[in-house]
Amino acid sequence: MNAKVLSNNIKENAQIEIGGYKHSLVMIICISLLLNIDVTIDNVPDIKETEVFIRLLNLFGKKYIYHNNKLKMYQSDIQSIEIPDDITQLVHGTIYLLPVLLFINHTINIFQTGGCKIGNENTVSSRPVEHMLSIMQKFGAIRVGDSLFLQDEYRAAEVNIKDYSNDKNVLSGPLVSGATKTAILCALKAEGITIIRKPYMKADVLEMLQFIELSGGKYELKEETLKIIPPKTKKRIHYQLTSDVSEIVTFIAFAQFHKTSVVLNNICNETIIKKSLVHELLYFGKIGVSIEWRKKSLRIMSASEPKAIGMINVNGETIYSDSQPFFLLSLLDAENESIIEDDVWNNRFEYAKELKHAGEPIEFINNKTVRILGQNENVIDTKKTLVAKDLRGAACLLIYASKHIGQKVKNVEHIERGYDDFWGKMKKLGIEFDVDERE
């Protein structure tokens, strides 16, 4: 699937509706299945992840209604846990069904997941699963070959997420998020109090904890230790997903790259957004971007002369790895050089290689660090077709290409996994693409 820029008449103060956060959607669905409760989820994004989970609800025989970005799930038994590989491999989020289906059925075959092929030079998906299996075993799961067994219920456990970090002093690497979320899922069906030390604490986890309280469970976070007490009774819940933090960052970067102003609407759960994006908002402020918080909206005003940032370090306690492409984009014409170091994923700069080949002044220090030299005087090859390798890289390259009428971007199907109505939103901003789904 390829896209070609047809026009770029940028509109000031264009109004963009931000969708719900896909990672939170996955976790709320998984909790709802695990607790078998009646739940209504508002602000559900119309993306590939949602499509896949709706297909899974059908396979499970689960009673639900999905209409107009609202998902209602009803208390009902799961009839089957058999999931075809061609479904599980469509998106990454299906992997979080492992602890859910193991509890329900007491046995399950370990299946492979999909999602962006990050790392390993993008030749195969490097999305790991062993850390999740390790966590599940701490809660009583038994692994035999490619199968998992659970004798009765999960048992309360104590886990330290630092054990899954590349650095023992700070949460880093690709495992800490999944380890934390898996531990929380298991804790919800464990007898007693589960203790999670040094948990990963960003939007999807914060939403899990908020949802647990609504369901009648309890949690306590003190001195980097999280305690989970599972709910004892079933409650009917009405929940609104937090706005997609990665989409917010995407359109802040769009405003800065095009030196324009944008209004982002449908900003839900401001507290979680501010906690999750605290470092992103700080860095955008250093660049010179002005962000005005309004009731359920944000007005983004670009910096006419963006400032460089000496070093942006990406790990589980600073900015999201999903955010780093948009900072590189925002810093391309900064006054001096900036460096971005990604300590979550190696080889997550495939999009930057495309920009360098197009003529942008980018240097690769190693497989996790790039230098952006700023204020480019090179001649840009706007005829070069840019090739996207993952979701955020695709969004970054499409925004970059949108300055150059006629420029093409390949493999833009990645966009469907993370942006609700991306092409419609770009049109509202003044950018029109010719999207060819045949290629």
Side-chain angles (χ1 to χ4, degrees):
M1 185 170 165
N2 300 335
K4 179 181 178 180
V5 182
L6 295 180
S7 63
N8 58 0
N9 301 309
I10 303 299
K11 299 176 183 177
E12 290 283 335
N13 293 315
Q15 307 273 325
I16 300 299
E17 299 292 317
I18 300 298
Y21 192 33
K22 74 166 188 171
H23 295 300
S24 296
L25 171 67
V26 168
M27 303 320 300
I28 299 305
I29 289 177
C30 286
I31 293 175
S32 301
L33 290 171
L34 191 60
L35 299 181
N36 194 16
I37 55 176
D38 292 336
V39 60
T40 300
I41 307 171
D42 289 336
N43 203 27
V44 175
D46 185 13
I47 57 174
K48 179 65 74 174
E49 212 97 8
T50 304
E51 176 192 322
V52 169
F53 270 83
I54 293 301
R55 288 175 64 183
L56 289 171
L57 291 180
N58 284 321
L59 286 173
F60 294 156
K62 192 73 177 176
K63 295 178 181 178
Y64 75 92
I65 297 173
Y66 176 56
H67 183 65
N68 287 342
N69 302 103
K70 185 189 295 287
L71 174 63
K72 291 184 177 182
M73 296 169 56
Y74 299 98
Q75 184 175 333
S76 56
D77 292 336
I78 288 179
Q79 305 299 320
S80 171
I81 67 161
E82 296 300 320
I83 309 176
D85 288 342
D86 62 345
I87 295 181
T88 64
Q89 294 178 15
L90 287 173
V91 296
H92 175 62
T94 54
I95 199 67
Y96 290 103
L97 289 168
L98 276 175
V100 176
L101 298 179
L102 177 61
F103 176 80
I104 291 170
N105 197 61
H106 298 293
T107 180
I108 191 170
N109 293 325
I110 300 166
F111 51 78
Q112 292 300 310
T113 185
C116 295
K117 297 177 180 178
I118 303 172
N120 296 334
E121 299 296 341
N122 297 104
T123 55
V124 295
S125 176
S126 60
R127 296 302 183 94
V129 66
E130 291 296 327
H131 62 306
M132 296 178 61
L133 304 180
S134 167
I135 292 286
M136 292 168 67
Q137 287 172 293
K138 291 180 185 295
F139 283 84
I142 300 169
R143 182 177 182 179
V144 179
D146 290 332
S147 298
L148 290 172
F149 300 90
L150 187 66
Q151 290 184 340
D152 189 10
E153 295 186 347
Y154 289 121
R155 59 172 181 262
E158 181 173 331
V159 299
N160 193 330
I161 304 303
K162 275 188 178 181
D163 294 341
Y164 301 88
S165 173
N166 290 349
D167 186 329
K168 299 308 176 187
N169 296 315
V170 63
L171 293 182
S172 65
L175 309 183
V176 294
S177 170
T180 302
K181 290 184 281 190
T182 303
I184 292 173
L185 287 173
C186 292
L188 290 176
K189 282 298 181 179
E191 189 66 34
I193 300 173
T194 290
I195 297 173
I196 306 171
R197 302 197 186 280
K198 194 62 178 176
Y200 171 89
M201 294 294 291
K202 291 206 173 183
D204 38 4
V205 171
L206 294 173
E207 289 214 72
M208 291 178 79
L209 298 179
Q210 192 174 77
F211 193 82
I212 287 168
E213 277 198 322
L214 291 173
S215 71
K218 295 180 181 179
Y219 78 89
E220 176 185 293
L221 180 62
K222 188 176 181 180
E223 296 180 351
E224 298 187 327
T225 297
L226 176 63
K227 294 181 180 180
I228 304 285
I229 302 174
K232 298 297 183 183
T233 58
K234 295 182 185 292
K235 288 188 175 183
R236 181 175 296 171
I237 300 174
H238 195 145
Y239 190 79
Q240 184 176 48
L241 289 177
T242 294
S243 304
D244 189 328
V245 291
S246 294
E247 189 175 12
I248 290 171
V249 169
T250 301
F251 287 108
I252 294 175
F254 177 96
Q256 178 54 43
F257 184 68
H258 279 284
K259 299 297 190 296
T260 189
S261 55
V262 176
V263 177
L264 306 181
N265 296 320
N266 193 37
I267 300 299
C268 306
N269 216 331
E270 183 178 317
T271 301
I272 285 181
I273 292 170
K274 285 182 173 179
K275 284 182 179 179
S276 301
L277 294 182
V278 60
H279 296 283
E280 279 88 346
L281 297 174
L282 176 64
Y283 284 131
F284 275 124
K286 288 183 176 181
I287 290 171
V289 178
S290 175
I291 300 175
E292 178 186 330
W293 290 83
R294 300 172 173 179
K295 186 177 181 180
K296 289 210 163 186
S297 72
L298 292 173
R299 183 166 184 255
I300 314 301
M301 292 155 284
S302 64
S304 58
E305 297 180 359
K307 301 268 192 296
I309 297 177
M311 167 71 81
I312 296 179
N313 185 261
V314 182
N315 59 51
E317 298 178 27
T318 57
I319 76 167
Y320 286 92
S321 183
D322 277 357
S323 295
Q324 56 98 333
F326 305 107
F327 279 100
L328 187 147
L329 192 66
S330 300
L331 291 164
L332 283 175
D333 64 343
E335 57 184 3
N336 291 306
E337 70 176 43
S338 305
I339 293 175
I340 300 177
E341 181 180 63
D342 193 330
D343 285 326
V344 176
W345 294 100
N346 293 332
N347 301 312
R348 199 178 183 175
F349 289 104
E350 293 297 312
Y351 72 92
K353 293 177 183 177
E354 294 296 305
L355 297 180
K356 181 177 176 64
H357 291 156
E360 293 295 343
I362 298 169
E363 295 179 352
F364 296 89
I365 298 173
N366 52 46
N367 67 356
K368 64 176 185 176
T369 312
V370 297
R371 179 183 286 113
I372 308 106
L373 300 181
Q375 294 190 338
N376 185 19
E377 296 180 358
N378 297 346
V379 175
I380 300 300
D381 181 5
T382 60
K383 292 187 176 1
K384 173 180 168 51
T385 297
L386 305 171
V387 182
K389 301 290 181 66
D390 59 53
L391 168 60
R392 305 306 168 187
C396 175
L397 293 176
L398 283 163
I399 294 172
Y400 177 83
S402 67
K403 266 192 180 179
H404 315 124
I405 294 175
Q407 189 154 34
K408 296 179 181 179
V409 182
K410 289 182 64 175
N411 301 338
V412 297
E413 63 274 7
H414 293 292
I415 286 293
E416 297 177 354
R417 287 206 303 276
Y419 294 92
D420 188 337
D421 191 27
F422 181 84
W423 309 111
K425 290 172 183 177
M426 294 300 283
K427 194 169 184 178
K428 286 183 179 179
L429 291 162
I431 310 293
E432 191 160 358
F433 289 91
D434 176 24
V435 181
D436 189 345
E437 298 185 4
R438 297 170 300 174
E439 297 186 42

